[in-house]
Amino acid sequence: MTALLSVRDLHCSFETTRGTVHAVRGVSLDLAPGETLALVGESGCGKTTLARCILGLQKPDSGEIRLGGDNLVGLSRREARRYRPRMQCVFQDPFSSLNPRRRVEDLIREPLDVQGIGTPAERRRKTSELMERVGLRPDWGRRFPHEFSGGQRQRIGIARALSLRPSVLICDEPVSALDVSVQAQIINLLWELQRDMGLSYLFITHDLMLVENFADRVAMMYQGRIVEEGPAQEIWRNPQHAFTQSLIDAIPIPDPNVPMGSGRAAFSA
Amino acid sequence: MAAPLLEIDDLRVGIRSNAAAEILRGVSLTIERGETLAVVGESGCGKSLTSLSVMGLLPDGLEKRGGTIRFEGAILPITDNEAMRRIRGRRIGMVFQEPMAALNPVFTIGDQVAEVILEHEAVSRADAMARVVDLLARVGLPDPAQIAREHPHRLSGGQRQRVVIAMALACRPDLLIADEPTTALDVTVQAQIMRLLQELQRDLGIAILLITHNLGLVAQVADRVAVMYAGRKVEEAATAGLFAAPQHPYTRGLLAATPRPGRRRAGEPPLTEIPGVVPSVTELLSGCRFRPRCAFAGDVCASVDPAFGGRVACHFPQTVELVPGVVT
């Protein structure tokens, strides 16, 4: 497998008033082109810190982050900016990640403006195309973020992330704040975009049941380390690490015939 | 026959400044002693507002437009705050999503749990404190005497929710309203808290009104389920029957959209969507509010809002059983 994104022995720690917190303790990951890798863990396991390191928002202590072969760790801000178009992110709360005073078309077009791609007319046309692609009506472009529902705001966030034609999307809990019917719409949209555009997703979540339905591979993160990794359905059916086992046993299965604490058996039910 | 523990009949709640906007459009629910009724639905369906109404905690700007709520057969004076204060905490306990919001950061855990007892019962402070330590032990907190002396910030999220449960149970209520009690918690902690609630229910015989969006929790703990959509109850059934053969198209859509292990098919979209969006409260829509999203809607659905009849509020209830993993 030729990895598109490759993380090697990454460490990241913080100084706090109570001493050093070692949030990421030697993580290695590979993301192949067109693949969805889910990074699953509970709060405080270090998954968001890992994502921030990959996005260049947090400086790791040591290790490598390679995108298409080039190491991003240690690059200056100016050098790092060249790689931005290839790796974009979608956040959990689409409202707090969208500037409330800007119109939706401006928000979606902004990355194109910043990177100076195309003429103004081309950027506007590209913006309408993106809106249509993610299921938003292009004539809604003059509206502001607060005029949209949570699911529509997440579509705006996705359109904005796609504007620079990235090959990797880092999705940090993109559907955890959404209702289940809206979650299904957004997950299916991500699936379609991946099928049509060959995107790779690093999908960060606490929801192992969701990614069993959606991801190709799962990496289980616990106390700053990847403790188990494998195909999504294999992890569910046959978890090896005690943490994965206890997590699956704790997930309530939406089937009254599957008693609490026997989630692994649900697969064959 | 004795009256049900809680009986909500045709409850209507609207926005004070907008006579046309109704958020609860005639909700009826019944809870018997010792049972768990889950009320499920997505944001804005009115499930939390229903529970807030029972506690007499309607938010500012909303008004009760009609209906009655009876507790042990007697009408609950939900608009009389003084009268409700004597019932809340004593007869009806409450647990909310965010435990930190229910706890005061400047008082010790012991003081806060004792306050509930002292508010409702004529006992000495020392007696109340002794009961607090017992309660903290009962909800599974280690070293309860020490925890009683701590402030909330010293506890984890799961421990805080245990404290809130201890407060809710301090006066041995008959009904516990649990509104998304585990939504802010990690899934392993969620399982511990739900197990605790089930144990307490079995030992103390309390009824639980569980408000949640999590169909997994519903399947695991509820005796009966009421599904709400756009301010109405659209379906109600015993848990097993609801999951095996949901009749309302919205219930079917909700179950189909819910991830579950082993349902994935190569080359197909991972989840089953319900098309469209929930109508807003101010949107005027004739007939059934689910109609624009419904695959089974006919002409009558546009003109007549279906009444709730026994099991569903739908002109075209579906009767084919759901086969797990296959979407109909």
Side-chain angles (χ1 to χ4, degrees):
Chain A
M1 183 180 73
T2 329
L4 186 58
L5 174 70
S6 178
V7 177
R8 282 291 166 274
D9 197 26
L10 199 78
H11 288 261
C12 184
S13 55
F14 304 95
E15 296 303 325
T16 72
T17 49
R18 288 187 192 170
T20 305
V21 175
H22 214 137
V24 178
R25 304 163 173 248
V27 165
S28 298
L29 289 174
D30 285 304
L31 180 65
E35 180 188 45
T36 298
L37 171 63
L39 184 63
V40 178
E42 302 215 296
S43 44
C45 75
K47 57 191 193 295
T48 292
T49 302
L50 175 59
R52 288 177 57 84
C53 288
I54 293 173
L55 287 164
L57 302 171
Q58 174 72 43
K59 210 169 162 269
D61 303 340
S62 63
E64 286 182 1
I65 298 165
R66 292 190 175 272
L67 183 63
D70 303 340
N71 190 2
L72 307 183
V73 174
L75 291 185
S76 68
R77 270 172 179 273
R78 174 179 286 254
E79 291 168 322
R81 194 178 300 161
R82 284 195 299 126
Y83 293 92
R84 285 282 151 75
R86 294 162 63 184
M87 191 157 59
Q88 291 283 308
C89 47
V90 177
F91 294 106
Q92 170 171 355
D93 184 345
F95 201 54
S96 63
S97 59
L98 296 173
N99 184 339
R101 298 174 145 197
R102 304 206 57 190
R103 295 183 192 279
V104 162
E105 59 187 15
D106 298 335
L107 287 165
I108 295 173
R109 205 187 56 240
E110 191 175 28
L112 295 169
D113 294 343
V114 170
Q115 294 278 340
I117 292 168
T119 65
E122 281 165 357
R123 287 179 218 157
R124 278 196 298 275
R125 202 192 60 236
K126 174 94 195 203
T127 302
S128 312
E129 281 170 18
L130 281 164
M131 291 186 71
E132 221 159 336
R133 187 67 199 81
V134 300
L136 294 167
R137 280 167 49 183
D139 57 302
W140 289 345
R142 302 293 294 164
R143 298 188 183 179
F144 292 94
H146 74 264
E147 298 176 69
F148 293 86
S149 69
Q152 287 169 332
R153 289 200 287 254
Q154 200 54 289
R155 291 177 196 269
I156 296 168
I158 292 169
R160 182 180 152 101
L162 292 178
S163 62
L164 296 172
R165 310 187 120 270
S167 43
V168 176
L169 271 194
I170 312 285
C171 306
D172 191 357
E173 302 272 14
V175 294
S176 339
L178 303 177
D179 278 319
V180 60
S181 71
V182 184
Q183 165 178 286
Q185 293 174 354
I186 297 297
I187 290 293
N188 285 358
L189 171 64
L190 288 171
W191 176 83
E192 256 176 56
L193 292 169
Q194 182 172 57
R195 186 193 58 189
D196 300 346
M197 304 167 75
L199 293 163
S200 300
Y201 297 140
L202 179 62
F203 194 94
I204 296 160
T205 181
H206 66 282
D207 190 343
L208 186 58
M209 190 152 65
L210 172 65
V211 301
E212 196 276 336
N213 284 241
F214 167 63
D216 299 307
R217 279 189 306 131
V218 175
M220 301 297 300
M221 193 161 178
Y222 181 67
Q223 296 187 346
R225 294 192 173 87
I226 305 295
V227 295
E228 181 167 5
E229 196 185 325
Q233 300 179 350
E234 190 53 35
I235 291 265
W236 186 285
R237 242 184 300 213
N238 191 17
Q240 298 299 309
H241 194 275
F243 165 67
T244 317
Q245 291 167 357
S246 67
L247 189 69
I248 292 176
D249 288 344
I251 295 173
I253 308 298
D255 181 345
N257 300 314
V258 180
M260 218 194 264
S262 52
R264 272 176 271 171
F267 202 97
S268 48
Chain B
M1 207 176 91
L5 182 64
L6 183 78
E7 196 175 12
I8 303 173
D9 183 35
D10 199 29
L11 181 66
R12 291 176 184 276
V13 171
I15 298 176
R16 194 167 282 142
S17 60
N18 183 344
E22 235 172 48
I23 308 180
L24 293 184
R25 301 180 302 122
V27 172
S28 299
L29 293 170
T30 301
I31 302 181
E32 303 290 344
R33 286 186 174 279
E35 77 166 343
T36 299
L37 172 70
V39 177
V40 300
E42 300 182 287
S43 323
C45 72
K47 58 189 191 300
S48 284
L49 199 54
T50 303
S51 74
L52 289 171
S53 302
V54 173
M55 295 181 285
L57 296 173
L58 274 186
D60 285 344
L62 300 186
E63 61 184 3
K64 184 178 159 221
R65 296 247 173 95
T68 52
I69 303 178
R70 289 170 190 272
F71 189 73
E72 292 183 316
I75 288 182
L76 268 185
I78 64 165
T79 49
D80 177 349
N81 195 37
E82 273 311 302
M84 286 307 292
R85 279 186 62 174
R86 289 191 290 275
I87 295 165
R88 277 198 300 264
R90 192 166 63 86
R91 307 300 313 277
I92 304 177
M94 302 166 281
V95 177
F96 295 109
Q97 175 171 339
E98 194 33 77
M100 206 50 197
L103 296 170
N104 189 325
V106 302
F107 292 103
T108 65
I109 299 296
D111 283 339
Q112 298 187 56
V113 183
E115 192 191 357
V116 181
I117 301 171
L118 293 167
E119 169 81 21
H120 293 293
E121 295 178 32
V123 294
S124 73
R125 203 174 160 73
D127 287 350
M129 270 304 185
R131 266 169 67 183
V132 168
V133 174
D134 286 347
L135 276 163
L136 295 178
R138 185 66 199 81
V139 296
L141 286 164
D143 198 354
Q146 177 58 36
I147 288 209
R149 287 192 290 272
E150 298 282 8
H151 287 83
H153 74 271
R154 301 274 295 171
L155 275 53
S156 70
Q159 289 175 323
R160 284 178 200 147
Q161 198 60 300
R162 286 176 194 268
V163 170
V164 173
I165 291 170
M167 287 169 77
L169 299 177
C171 295
R172 296 196 154 237
D174 299 287
L175 174 65
L176 181 70
I177 296 180
D179 190 345
E180 303 277 9
T182 57
T183 304
L185 305 175
D186 276 329
V187 65
T188 47
V189 182
Q190 162 173 281
Q192 294 161 12
I193 295 291
M194 291 315 295
R195 218 166 279 141
L196 170 67
L197 285 176
Q198 286 188 300
E199 247 176 63
L200 292 168
Q201 177 173 45
R202 196 185 54 221
D203 297 351
L204 307 174
I206 26 176
I208 297 180
L209 174 60
L210 175 68
I211 311 287
T212 183
H213 69 284
N214 186 331
L215 287 165
L217 281 186
V218 172
Q220 302 301 317
V221 308
D223 298 307
R224 278 186 308 125
V225 190
V227 181
M228 287 185 67
Y229 186 80
R232 292 196 68 181
K233 179 173 76 176
V234 295
E235 181 160 9
E236 183 180 340
T239 306
L242 187 101
F243 278 81
Q247 293 187 5
H248 197 284
Y250 176 65
T251 313
R252 296 174 84 82
L254 206 54
L255 284 170
T258 302
R260 71 181 68 197
R263 57 175 264 171
R264 187 152 159 198
R265 303 288 174 269
E268 287 175 28
L271 298 169
T272 309
E273 299 173 30
I274 303 177
V277 293
V278 174
S280 81
V281 182
T282 50
E283 201 174 316
L284 293 170
L285 191 62
S286 66
C288 173
R289 304 277 278 182
F290 187 61
R291 159 175 61 91
R293 309 177 72 185
C294 183
F296 306 100
D299 290 344
V300 63
C301 305
S303 51
V304 183
D305 198 2
F308 191 88
R311 161 106 186 220
V312 279
C314 180
H315 293 299
F316 301 102
Q318 302 298 304
T319 50
V320 181
E321 283 205 15
L322 284 190
V323 181
V326 178
V327 174
T328 49

